Structures are given as structure tokens and as C-alpha cells.
Amino acid sequence: MTGYTIFRLICLAALWLILCYLMIAGRGLNAWTLFIIVVSGGVVFIPLYKKYIRDGNGKR
């Protein structure tokens, strides 16, 4: 992975963490909030994992 790709992934992870924090701060931590956080993490990070890490630097 290039430095630019790593930077983009770090920015995306930081944004996701901030949004998770805001959701927990606003609604409190309960089962539904935890479920939404886990599902949103899967939606965001599984495609990125498949593209950049599993397939070897995004090459198919």
C-alpha cells in the first residue's frame, strides 16, 4: 500500500470512530447502539479489507 492509501484509511477510521463516539454520547450505550456500530463497521471496513489487504495492495 502506498502512503496515500494508508492516510486515507486512517482518516476514514478516525471519522468512523468520531461518529461512533457521537452516537454513544447522544443515545447511550445499549444493545441497539452496539449493533449499529458493529454493522456500520462491517459495511465500512470489510470492502476496504478485501480490496487493499486480502487482494494484495488493491491489485486483482
Side-chain angles (χ1 to χ4, degrees):
M1 284 194 297
T2 64
Y4 181 66
T5 303
I6 294 171
F7 176 73
R8 289 188 313 182
L9 292 176
I10 290 172
C11 287
L12 185 63
L15 177 63
W16 181 76
L17 287 172
I18 291 168
L19 291 173
C20 289
Y21 171 75
L22 290 173
M23 185 170 185
I24 292 171
R27 298 183 58 125
L29 185 62
N30 55 28
W32 183 250
T33 306
L34 189 61
F35 172 74
I36 290 175
I37 289 171
V38 169
V39 170
S40 70
V43 168
V44 170
F45 293 111
I46 288 175
L48 294 175
Y49 169 78
K50 286 182 178 180
K51 181 175 182 180
Y52 291 111
I53 296 172
R54 190 185 70 182
D55 290 340
N57 298 331
K59 297 175 184 167
R60 295 185 181 250

